[in-house]
Structures are given as C-alpha cells and as structure tokens.
Amino acid sequence: MELQVLPLEQSRPRPQNESNLTFGKQFTDRMFVMDYLTGRGWHNARIQPYGPFVLDPAAMVLHYAQEIFEGLKAFRRPDGKIALFRPMDNMRRFNRSASRMCMPEVEEEFLLHAIKELIRLEANWVPRAEGTSLYIRPTMIASEPMLGVRPADQYLCYVILCPVGTYYKGGLAPVKIWISDHYVRAAHGGTGEVKTGGNYAASLLAAREAAAKGYDQVLWLDAKEKRHVEEVGSMNMCFLFDGKLLTSPLHGTILDGITRRSVLTLAHEMGLKVEERALTVEEIFDGAERGLLTEAFGTGTAVVISPVGQFTYRDRTVKLGDGQTTGPFTQRLYDTLTGIQYGRLPDPHDWVELL
Ligand SMILES: *Cc1c(COP(=O)(O)O)cnc(C)c1O
C-alpha cells in the first residue's frame, strides 16, 4: 500500500519546557490515518495534519465500544538518533486485539513503516531532556454509522504522537496500592488480554474509590476466587518473593505486556529464578510480614517500572521496607531497561530498532 504525505500548513505550539511535560496532553503536528471498508480492505493510508475527525453520531465505536489501541515509545539517544523498543511486538499485539474484537487486522510491516515515516517527519518533537520520550498511540475504531450489535463494516486506524516526560520527577518513587475485594477487571473468556478501551472504562469506578482513600492504583484479583493477583491499572505486577521473581501467568485475563516480557528476560539474566505464578493476597501479607516478599513493582510502557511501597486489603496494610524506598533489584531492572532503551547500555537481544 502507498503512503501519502499531505502538506502541513501550520505547526502546533511546541512544549516550552521539556522537563515538565504532562503525559498525553500535547500532540505533534501530524498523524497517520487509514480507512477500512469491508470488500475493499485498508486504503487511503496517509500522514496528515493532526486534528479532529468528522464522525457520525451513530458511529459504532461510540455505542458498542469496538476499539483497540497500542502504546509504545520512541527514545532520543545520546547521539541524537531515535530508537523504538520492540515495536513489532506492539504490531502483533494490535492484530491479536483486532481479531478478538472482530476488527480487521492490519499489515504489521506496513503499520510499523507508517509509524517510522510519521516519526521521521515529526523528529523534532522527540524530546531530548533526560528521561523524556515520544509516546506513540496506534488506535482502531469502528466508524460505520449503524445502531445494531454486530462487527462494523467500516473502520479508521490512526496513530498519534505525544512528547512525554519522566513519570517520576525525583527518581523512582514507590506507590500505594489498594487491593479490590469487590470490583474485578476481567474474567476467563472475557477481554482481559485485549488492549481495548472498554476494559479501562470498567475500571474507573474502582480507581476513583481508591484515589479517594489516598491510594495510587488498584490491584485486581482474579474474578472467580478473588484471591490471586492479576495486574494493576495499566501495568503487570512482579514480586520478588523468596529470592524469586514471580508474575501472574498469561491465561487470558491479563495483558501480555512487552515490559513484563523484557523484565522476565533481564531478571533471568541477572541470575534470578523467574516463575509465572500468581501470588495470593495471603502470600503478599504473610510474605511481607515474614520478610519473604522484599520488593514489588508494576511494569508498563508508560511508567517502565513502578515500585510498590505498600499494599492495603480490607483493613490490612503492609509496607515493603519503609514504604518509601525503591528496592535495589527494582532499581537495577529500571536502570538496565531504560539503559537499553536510551542506548546507554548494549542491546544483546536486538530489542531496539533505530529509525
Ligand atoms: C498496556 C497494558 C499493560 C502494559 O503493557 P506494555 O506492553 O508493557 O506497555 C499492562 N496492563 C494493561 C491492562 C495494559 O493495557
């Protein structure tokens, strides 16, 4: 498929202060868009000025939530070059999400090519300040105007970009986690492993209640027994437990995170035993009290690694260490992963793709 580049008439305001970027608020000058029609396939692939779409009020995405997305980052390296981290993994996951939501798959190589072209055109939007990056958001929505529950015949696929800052301004800072004993995120057979907006819409109420109680994030338990740890917000969870790195297995209810995958590989290389096994709530509390659970952290593209300082479940709270300090292993993983992403460390797995 051909990729058209439409002229840009006007530039958007650039961030004044790169060390103070808010996540997801400011977008670059251009976006990638392509259209889909059943019978015709994907067509009219173009890079055009960033701006609103004209969408019919009956567009099916607005009523039945047929929507998927991805999230990856471009990093500015010390030599000025721009790098993507495992981008093909995001393309593949986008297609896995598409098939679960009865949406058309895209050609993975072509979408990645289009993203690279877009970033080349927007290269001066890739920030240079320490810890900053360009967040890339591929999205697909059902645009057919029709009130009826069935897969749409018309879709838009688009990619928007936003320069983002470091998540933690003063270095890694442990978060407070609330374990929900009431709300659940995903059940077996549902859409827990799909990157789809509906999962997030369903999680808002629990997040709001947690925030009102002073917690940063909600940790979800399995929907059936409400005992086993699943994941947190938009992050997978890892635990340093009895000297091993534990993380929940991928059995359809949690997202197959690319950061999670990378962390498992790195931890293994650091000599740690890695096990894909879901911890229970009792193990978190007993383990922390007995000194078996020493560190815990979330993993995801946006935050990279987010250390956990304390867990609360019903009326029980437990701290890891003093609750304020990032554990040494968590810090080491963060430094290694970001080192590879920014080109400060070698990349033995060929995870990085230079533009
Ligand atoms: C995107 C996402 C993650 C993290 O995946 P990464 O590929 O590491 O960014 C974890 N959980 C949920 C629910 C997500 O949507």
Side-chain angles (χ1 to χ4, degrees), residues 1-291:
M1 192 169 18
E2 221 186 301
L3 178 60
Q4 231 197 324
V5 179
L6 304 177
L8 180 74
E9 260 121 49
Q10 218 183 347
S11 278
R12 295 162 63 82
R14 296 284 306 278
Q16 298 295 306
N17 181 1
E18 276 193 359
S19 56
N20 200 17
L21 293 163
T22 312
F23 198 98
K25 271 235 159 178
Q26 203 160 19
F27 299 93
T28 71
D29 287 327
R30 300 171 177 88
M31 61 182 179
F32 166 77
V33 189
M34 64 179 173
D35 302 312
Y36 181 92
L37 213 50
T38 298
R40 192 169 166 200
W42 289 108
H43 59 280
N44 197 12
R46 69 239 184 230
I47 291 173
Q48 66 181 56
Y50 184 95
F53 293 123
V54 173
L55 209 58
D56 194 288
M60 289 167 87
V61 63
L62 303 176
H63 302 270
Y64 311 114
Q66 225 190 342
E67 186 264 4
I68 56 167
F69 66 95
E70 267 304 325
L72 63 159
K73 280 176 171 173
F75 302 92
R76 175 79 67 182
R77 296 159 80 92
D79 61 4
K81 289 204 180 100
I82 297 168
L84 296 171
F85 185 73
R86 309 186 75 170
M88 248 344 234
D89 289 22
N90 293 92
M91 303 300 109
R92 288 189 203 107
R93 191 170 66 190
F94 196 52
N95 270 345
R96 289 203 304 276
S97 295
S99 60
R100 176 64 179 82
M101 303 306 281
C102 291
M103 299 170 88
E105 294 194 1
V106 297
E107 204 189 299
E108 291 160 6
E109 261 93 25
F110 178 76
L111 184 60
L112 182 53
H113 159 74
I115 289 172
K116 287 180 176 171
E117 283 301 305
L118 177 62
I119 297 172
R120 278 186 198 110
L121 287 166
E122 303 290 68
N124 63 350
W125 284 89
V126 183
R128 289 168 192 275
E130 169 88 29
T132 60
S133 56
L134 186 75
Y135 186 74
I136 306 160
R137 171 52 62 90
T139 311
M140 194 194 297
I141 58 172
S143 52
E144 181 188 350
M146 160 81 191
L147 297 184
V149 180
R150 60 153 173 79
D153 277 328
Q154 204 178 313
Y155 297 88
L156 274 177
C157 174
Y158 60 92
V159 180
I160 53 178
L161 308 173
C162 45
V164 298
T166 39
Y167 221 83
Y168 299 100
K169 298 242 147 51
L172 287 181
V175 295
K176 291 186 196 165
I177 298 263
W178 184 59
I179 304 175
S180 171
D181 65 349
H182 176 64
Y183 299 108
V184 293
R185 180 181 168 276
H188 284 282
T191 58
E193 64 185 341
V194 183
K195 235 174 156 61
T196 185
N199 288 340
Y200 281 86
S203 75
L204 295 176
L205 186 56
R208 188 159 73 181
E209 288 183 14
K213 293 184 220 274
Y215 300 99
D216 302 295
Q217 294 273 353
V218 177
L219 188 148
W220 305 101
L221 299 177
D222 73 281
K224 200 168 167 197
E225 294 182 69
K226 293 193 185 153
R227 264 187 81 210
H228 296 95
V229 169
E230 297 255 296
E231 59 180 325
V232 171
S234 55
M235 297 186 289
N236 296 111
M237 273 301 298
C238 294
F239 298 90
L240 204 60
F241 190 87
D242 200 10
K244 291 182 279 204
L245 187 79
L246 298 191
T247 191
S248 301
L250 306 173
H251 47 39
T253 56
I254 67 168
L255 205 89
D256 179 0
I258 294 157
T259 320
R260 172 188 180 276
R261 238 185 263 167
S262 309
V263 159
L264 294 188
T265 302
L266 294 175
H268 174 73
E269 285 170 2
M270 290 171 181
L272 224 68
K273 195 156 180 281
V274 171
E275 255 178 51
E276 294 184 57
R277 163 172 102 67
L279 228 64
T280 62
V281 180
E282 304 93 88
E283 282 178 306
I284 290 183
F285 283 88
D286 298 348
E289 278 155 15
R290 290 168 51 208

Side-chain angles (χ1 to χ4, degrees), residues 270-330:
M270 290 171 181
L272 224 68
K273 195 156 180 281
V274 171
E275 255 178 51
E276 294 184 57
R277 163 172 102 67
L279 228 64
T280 62
V281 180
E282 304 93 88
E283 282 178 306
I284 290 183
F285 283 88
D286 298 348
E289 278 155 15
R290 290 168 51 208
L292 283 175
L293 175 62
T294 48
E295 299 183 34
F297 54 90
T299 67
T301 296
V303 294
V304 188
I305 281 174
S306 176
V308 175
Q310 78 173 55
F311 293 98
T312 298
Y313 178 73
R314 298 186 177 154
D315 53 6
R316 252 181 119 179
T317 290
V318 76
K319 281 187 181 166
L320 299 184
D322 62 0
Q324 323 264 327
T325 318
T326 299
F329 184 73
T330 307

